Amino acid sequence: MSIELEHVRPADIEKRSMEIIESELSAPLDPVLAPVIRRVIHTTADFDYVKTLVFSESAVEKGVQALKNGVFIVTDTTMAQSGINKRVLKRFGGEVLNFIGDPDVAAEAKARGITRSAVSMERAASLGVPLIYVVGNAPTALVSIYEQVQAGTMPPPALVVGVPVGFVNVVEAKELILKLDVPYIVARGRKGGSNVAAAIINALLYIASSNERE
């Protein structure tokens, strides 16, 4: 059995990948949402995200504008933090924050019997400014965001990216975010992950730079 490999220059691999994605889509994507959806598919090779990614009204436009304004991003994992293109983000004056490894966050979480991710979202809210919240792993982080927004103890988020992956309270936590009157991009169902979360932010950053890939 012979295997024929497609010869693609390294610099053209991503472009060719996007062409394959476009050719395999069953229907054209909304042009506003397409850069985000394509980048998530490129990251996961999973076309289910065409159906499961849910966008609040003008979420892409609001997220892009917030990034252009230099909004700070807070993530629930260091993996999501690492995956975000900080070179592009820095152009706009933004920064990625993550409190999950702070010793006082760990101590407070242990004392209260809750997750470090939940405490991290409280820590972020205490900064008193709108942030982009990027959650790719911990549904408890989404629950914390929901409860704080409902209680009025968190400034309205500039955007919530809610794409945790897993089985325990993942679906339910995502559905809570869909009830909020805030900009959001949520992956309904069990699928997601820190790589998906970072891909969404990177797509928005590339739109903000008027270039889908940098």
Side-chain angles (χ1 to χ4, degrees):
M1 176 180 171
S2 62
I3 297 175
E4 292 188 13
L5 298 177
E6 184 175 353
H7 295 288
V8 182
R9 294 185 306 169
D12 294 333
I13 289 175
E14 182 170 307
K15 178 183 176 183
R16 178 61 184 135
S17 296
M18 292 298 184
E19 291 172 350
I20 293 170
I21 290 169
E22 200 67 35
S23 70
E24 294 187 14
L25 289 168
S26 58
L29 298 174
D30 181 312
V32 175
L33 310 181
V36 177
I37 297 171
R38 280 198 300 260
R39 189 146 298 279
V40 171
I41 295 172
H42 178 261
T43 298
T44 62
D46 190 341
F47 283 82
D48 281 354
Y49 286 104
V50 172
K51 297 177 290 184
T52 60
L53 277 179
V54 181
F55 299 77
S56 64
E57 185 175 357
S58 301
V60 170
E61 296 91 335
K62 291 176 181 177
V64 168
Q65 189 58 55
L67 290 168
K68 286 183 175 180
N69 291 341
V71 70
F72 278 29
I73 298 169
V74 61
T75 67
D76 69 324
T77 64
T78 54
M79 184 181 296
Q81 181 185 29
S82 297
I84 292 171
N85 191 325
K86 287 169 279 296
R87 178 176 59 84
V88 178
L89 180 63
K90 188 177 181 180
R91 290 186 201 164
F92 302 112
E95 187 177 331
V96 186
L97 309 175
N98 183 276
F99 303 107
I100 201 75
D102 291 4
D104 54 340
V105 168
E108 182 176 345
K110 183 176 181 180
R112 293 168 60 188
I114 61 175
T115 67
R116 288 183 295 162
S117 297
V119 176
S120 292
M121 297 304 109
E122 294 176 359
R123 185 64 50 86
S126 71
L127 297 176
V129 296
L131 301 167
I132 290 180
Y133 292 85
V134 179
V135 179
N137 183 68
T140 54
L142 289 186
V143 174
S144 177
I145 293 168
Y146 173 80
E147 291 176 345
Q148 290 184 82
V149 170
Q150 289 290 80
T153 56
M154 171 183 283
L159 177 69
V160 177
V161 175
V163 294
V165 60
F167 299 93
V168 179
N169 292 328
V170 167
V171 174
E172 294 81 0
K174 292 174 179 178
E175 293 299 317
L176 287 176
I177 299 301
L178 298 182
K179 295 181 178 183
L180 292 177
D181 185 22
V182 302
Y184 60 72
I185 301 174
V186 170
R188 269 185 149 151
R190 293 172 170 175
K191 293 181 180 181
S194 295
N195 59 334
V196 174
I200 290 171
I201 293 299
N202 287 338
L204 298 178
L205 283 168
Y206 303 147
I207 295 169
S209 298
S210 298
N211 188 333
E212 195 175 325
R213 182 68 178 99
E214 294 203 12

